[in-house]
């Protein structure tokens, strides 16, 4: 005999109830989406809805021969619409973007040190002025005036122009030093604490998410907050984010977050044994950074990482360990000196032209200038009388270059000639030394070298002066271009991400209509079942009762 | 691609901010006409601008050098012209003295005239321009020409005939060296040095050592009869003095005098020719300065034009661009106002 499946009397009511429940759950989630449509970091949610299979479909008592019906709809969980791959892409790009914007914001203000534009209401008086070249121009003009016998009280006028030039060097050097200090301060007082706060925040959130999910609850909003913090953190560092399931006993697992320091492509930096080298967050514990300001004098800033967990190692690393991100950018600006870091023997190390490069470049220029001028101030018989000194026994730098004390008092210290009948005598007007100085500044070609022998540029002293704002301008312009490319790419990736994750009010309005209709339909179905039961219970089998 | 409110909002925000930034830049350009504000805005234009500024400043220096050199040169030319006339007069007087008609009294008068010509030559040789002695070579600070107690001409303390100093010793610098002194002034010929010395072709030599014009040293002159007169000065001043002495010598007259004077007259003629040729050289220096100045003037003009090209934008372009940017910005605002306000919500009942 064939077994016949008996359906429950109130089956239909259960189905109707599940429909109403599912519709209400959907309506609530829609409402949550709408209210958070402007919440930053919010990921739109969707109810995971599925049809419930008929009871005991595969059991011994499964009936056949009668239409079998499922048991309604099940809205069993709420999920987020989010693409982990795009998150990874976004974070890699955000680190690039963070680096270029850190470089730009550090170097761009330096331009004002070397050149400025006078802006006025009429174009005649508006001009761009190259600070050093302009002061050099004044100095050369005064030398020129002397050779054509036009300058009254010539020596003091030349001395004033020379003094002004040294002051420009001093100021530029001082301003660069200030810029360096501000950058170091910005790193130690703002960037590093901010990174540590973010790491701590991520670890805290991770604990709360574990707790919530452990007890079977939902932690979608906490995940949003954590993702937001990870996004923020990715501006500072290259990250590798992994979620792994951790057993908590009784066969249950909860996902635990791990954040590792990564390379430019977002792959974790690995130890020799293949395990991640730098762990920033592991579940509820996190690493922290500290910055070594004790090395400020040596012109190098060191960042240290204190790994999470008891017994975690402390590691010092410089910018070389960081691929990109604004921390790497800051360290580059502070620690790298371009060609000055390169030794001629090896010669291949690419190094960024940070603030130090420009300081050292000014030192090289000041030294060369002082040396060329000093060597001309002699009669040929007597020892050289230096015009420019460091004010002590140190080597001349842009910071300390000044007129020699002997020149600042009285006149006659400037030796105008070596040739002629009375070299050095004030009656001698061949001005051969002065003409030689003009030639030394404007026509002699010199190789400007770093102390390690790397040639920075070949050309006249005047060209070298002029090249300072030019080369900085080229560098800033390049970084600015990279930065805007980076932020365009970042915006594109973010658009793709938002396209999936962010709330569209129109979408949700449609959902509102849809689920409202669904709710009404389920309610209508319930009424139908109710009427059906009414008929079965009250009206069935009473025919002919009178 | 699914477009959401937030995406549209952030795109819009970015676009409006871009439009505003462009308008800000265009506005600034419309009142200062600058093509760039910082070197990084346009590194190439900035480099060109700095170069043009430098060249134009140097062109100014060169022109100012040339203008004072021209003053010196014109003044020297003028004085040499006067001297030439006086030397000419002296030559004529001497010629008239040796023609047989002159008697002792005439010769005395002529000698006196020669004497006064010499003293005016001396004062002209010590002429000054703007506190500098014109004919002192590299020494413009004190009078180059003086007389010793015997009335011999000294150039910077050296006897122009013997080349010895006041102690009768050979000095550190010979007259020949002193006549070949240079004072180089940079007038934009591309000053260069080789081996520490200024290359003479690359600068203007403004030195005018007086002995270059009047001559120095002595020579032996052979007469037509085979007799040799030794130690005839080459210097015009010394020659005039010698001739003056002979004219004052009453023991000489007629053909004796003529014979005695002949080598000196020959030497004077040679010296005068040399003087004239050196003076012409001053004239051509003047022309050279004038030409160079003309070149620099046109260079300044073309540098100004170049500066205008690289550093500034066209007035019309700047204003048109600003109007255009303003228009874009307003359009962006208007579109935003229309699009962002409405959503499906507005149409649901």
């Amino acid at each position: 005999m064939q077994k016949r499946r008996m359906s429950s009397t109130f089956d239909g009511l259960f189905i109707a109830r599940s429909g109403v429940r599912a519709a209400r759950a959907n309506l609530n989630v829609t409402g949550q989406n709408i209210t958070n449509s402007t919440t930053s970091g919010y990921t739109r949610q969707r109810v995971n809805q599925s049809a419930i299979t008929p009871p005991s479909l595969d059991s011994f008592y499964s009936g056949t021969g009668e239409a079998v019906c499922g048991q309604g709809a099940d809205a069993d969980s709420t999920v987020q619409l989010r693409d982990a791959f795009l998150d990874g892409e976004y974070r890699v790009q955000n680190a690039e973007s963070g680096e270029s914007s850190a470089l730009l914001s550090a170097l761009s203000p330096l331009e004002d040190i070397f050149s400025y534009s006078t802006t006025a209401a009429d174009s005649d008086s508006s001009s761009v002025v190259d600070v050093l070249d302009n002061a050099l121009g004044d100095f050369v003009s005064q030398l020129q005036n002397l050779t054509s016998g036009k300058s009254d009280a010539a020596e003091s006028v030349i001395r004033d122009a020379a003094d002004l030039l040294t002051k420009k060097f001093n100021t530029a050097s001082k301003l660069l030093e200030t810029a360096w200090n501000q950058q170091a301060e910005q790193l130690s007082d703002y960037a590093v604490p901010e990174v540590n706060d973010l790491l701590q925040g991520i670890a805290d959130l991770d604990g709360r998410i574990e707790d919530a999910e452990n007890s079977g609850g939902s932690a979608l909003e906490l995940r949003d907050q954590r993702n937001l913090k990870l996004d923020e953190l990715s501006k500072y560092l290259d990250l590798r984010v992994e979620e792994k399931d951790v057993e908590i006993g009784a066969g249950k697992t909860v996902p635990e977050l791990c954040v590792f320091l990564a390379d430019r492509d977002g792959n974790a930096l690995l130890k020799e044994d293949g395990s991640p080298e730098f762990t920033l967050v592991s579940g509820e514990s996190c690493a922290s950074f500290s910055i070594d300001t004790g090395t400020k004098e040596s012109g190098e800033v060191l960042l240290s990482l204190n790994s999470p967990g008891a017994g975690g190692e402390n590691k010092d690393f410089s910018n070389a360990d960081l691929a990109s991100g604004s921390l790497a950018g800051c360290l580059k600006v502070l620690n790298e000196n371009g060609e000055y870091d390169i030794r001629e023997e090896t010669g291949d190390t690419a190094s960024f032209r940070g603030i130090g490069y420009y300081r050292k470049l000014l030192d090289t220029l000041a030294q060369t200038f002082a040396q060329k001028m000093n060597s001309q101030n002699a009669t040929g018989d007597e020892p050289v009388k230096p015009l420019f000194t460091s004010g002590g026994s140190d080597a001349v730098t842009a910071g300390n270059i000044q007129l020699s004390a002997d020149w600042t008092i009285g006149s006659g210290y400037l030796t105008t000639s070596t040739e002629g009948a009375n070299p050095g005598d004030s009656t001698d007007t061949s001005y051969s030394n002065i003409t030689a100085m003009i030639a030394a500044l404007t026509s002699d070609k010199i190789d400007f070298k770093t102390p390690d022998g790397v040639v920075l540029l070949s050309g006249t002293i005047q060209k070298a002066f002029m090249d300072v704002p030019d080369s900085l301008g080229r560098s800033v312009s390049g970084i600015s271009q990279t930065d805007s490319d980076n932020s365009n790419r970042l915006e594109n990736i973010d658009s793709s991400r938002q396209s999936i994750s962010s709330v569209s009010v129109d979408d949700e309005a449609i959902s509102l209509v849809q689920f409202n209709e669904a709710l009404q339909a389920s309610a209508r179905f319930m009424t139908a079942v109710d009427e059906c039961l009414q008929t079965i219970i009250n009206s069935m089998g009473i025919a002919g009762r009178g | 691609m699914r477009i959401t409110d937030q995406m549209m909002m952030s795109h819009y925000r970015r676009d409006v901010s871009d439009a505003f930034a462009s308008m800000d830049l265009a506005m600034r350009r419309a009142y200062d006409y600058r093509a760039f504000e910082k070197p990084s805005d346009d590194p190439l234009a900035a480099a060109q601008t700095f170069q043009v500024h430098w060249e134009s400043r140097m062109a100014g220096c060169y022109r100012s050098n040339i203008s004072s050199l021209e003053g010196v040169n014109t003044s020297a030319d003028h004085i040499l012209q006067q001297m030439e006339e006086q030397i000419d007069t002296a030559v004529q007087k001497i010629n008239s003295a040796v023609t047989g008609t002159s008697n002792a009294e005439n010769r005395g008068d002529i000698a006196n005239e020669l004497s006064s010509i010499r003293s005016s030559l001396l004062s002209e040789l010590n002429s000054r321009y703007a506190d500098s002695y014109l004919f002192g070579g590299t020494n413009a600070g004190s009078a180059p020409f003086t007389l010793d107690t015997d009335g011999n001409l000294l150039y910077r303390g050296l006897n122009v005939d013997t080349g010895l100093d006041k102690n009768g010793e050979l000095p550190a610098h010979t007259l020949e060296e002193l006549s070949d002194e240079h004072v180089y002034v940079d007038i934009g010929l591309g000053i260069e040095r080789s081996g520490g010395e200024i290359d003479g072709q690359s600068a203007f030599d403004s030195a005018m050592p007086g002995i270059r014009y009047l001559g120095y040293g002595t020579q032996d002159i052979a007469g037509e009869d085979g007799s040799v007169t030794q130690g005839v000065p080459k210097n015009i001043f010394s020659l005039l003095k010698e001739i003056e002495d002979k004219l004052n010598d009453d023991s000489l007259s007629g053909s004796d005098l003529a014979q005695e004077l002949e080598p000196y007259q020959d030497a004077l003629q040679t010296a005068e020719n040399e003087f004239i040729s050196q003076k012409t050289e001053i004239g051509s220096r003047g022309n050279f300065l004038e030409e160079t100045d003309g070149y620099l003037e046109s260079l300044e003009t073309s540098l100004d034009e170049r500066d205008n090209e690289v550093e500034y934008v066209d007035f019309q372009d700047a204003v048109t661009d600003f109007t255009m940017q303003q228009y874009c910005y307003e359009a962006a605002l208007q579109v935003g106002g229309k699009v962002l306000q409405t959503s499906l919500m507005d149409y649901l009942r």
Side-chain angles (χ1 to χ4, degrees), chain B residues 227-247:
Chain B
S227 67
V228 173
T229 316
Q230 292 188 324
V232 178
K234 291 179 177 172
N235 182 282
I236 292 175
F237 187 93
S238 303
L239 281 168
L240 291 180
K241 182 167 176 292
E242 291 279 350
I243 293 169
E244 189 187 323
D245 288 348
K246 299 213 184 300
L247 289 177

Side-chain angles (χ1 to χ4, degrees), chain A residues 33 48 75 144 187 199 243 283 306 326 348 357 407-408 445:
Chain A
N33 284 343
N48 227 354
Q144 293 273 19
L187 183 63
L199 288 171
E243 217 170 330
N306 313 304
S326 65
D348 52 358
Y357 168 80
W407 196 18
T408 53
K445 299 234 179 339

Side-chain angles (χ1 to χ4, degrees), chain B residues 71-112:
Chain B
V72 170
N73 213 66
T74 312
S75 160
D77 199 27
H78 188 67
I79 288 161
L80 290 176
Q81 180 62 39
Q82 284 178 352
M83 287 167 72
E84 186 189 339
E85 282 162 18
Q86 284 160 342
I87 294 165
D88 226 33
T89 314
V91 170
Q92 283 167 19
K93 295 283 176 194
I94 295 163
N95 284 343
S96 71
V98 292
T99 52
T101 55
S102 66
N103 55 26
E105 199 179 326
N106 287 137
R107 292 203 298 273
D109 289 345
I110 290 169
N112 286 342

